[in-house]
Amino acid sequence: MERRVPVRTCIGCRTRKSKMELVRIAGRKPDMNDKDLTLVIDSDAGMDGRGVYLCKSMECFDRALKYKQFIRAFGTTVSDEQFVSLRHDFEKRMGENSEKR
Ligand SMILES: [Zn+2]
């Protein structure tokens, strides 16, 4: 029997891939009244809240950023500072992944 692997779409390149090949970004509100979301890399894909998926690639991250896919997906405003820190974390994660190989 074939094992079904959950498939998600990368918001950068729109490619459908197995969940394992993607990085999940979760949006959380520290406070219910907060307008801005805090975007974090969800390493265990187990965080609450909305999430989006990206290939493990800076290209996809930047494309998603450029086309405001994050804002579209989360349906809220996200501050520039958030993106800067998220991009930094994402980049760091990419580095960790390649080191492990
Ligand atoms: Zn992608």
Side-chain angles (χ1 to χ4, degrees):
M1 228 174 31
E2 204 182 306
R3 258 191 78 197
R4 284 182 68 90
V5 181
V7 172
R8 296 291 182 270
T9 305
C10 165
I11 61 163
C13 62
R14 296 273 155 202
T15 303
R16 285 168 65 81
K17 288 187 177 182
S18 99
K19 235 173 132 176
M20 305 303 293
E21 293 177 69
L22 300 165
V23 177
R24 186 174 188 262
I25 312 261
R28 333 180 77 189
K29 280 190 185 183
D31 190 294
M32 284 299 283
N33 302 317
D34 245 330
K35 199 158 64 77
D36 287 349
L37 278 179
T38 302
L39 300 185
V40 287
I41 292 171
D42 180 0
S43 35
D44 303 317
M47 278 187 188
D48 293 341
R50 279 177 191 241
V52 294
Y53 291 86
L54 277 172
C55 301
K56 293 170 181 171
S57 144
M58 290 314 290
E59 216 174 289
C60 288
F61 185 93
D62 285 341
R63 200 189 293 197
L65 201 60
K66 188 177 161 197
Y67 294 111
K68 299 185 164 48
Q69 293 293 355
F70 291 110
I71 292 168
R72 202 168 296 168
F74 291 110
T76 184
T77 55
V78 181
S79 66
D80 289 345
E81 293 79 39
Q82 269 293 310
F83 284 132
V84 170
S85 96
L86 183 69
R87 193 179 189 282
H88 181 80
D89 287 350
F90 195 81
E91 201 161 26
K92 218 168 76 182
R93 211 185 132 91
M94 298 301 103
E96 281 166 11
N97 281 350
S98 53
E99 270 166 37
K100 269 180 204 162
R101 233 175 266 155

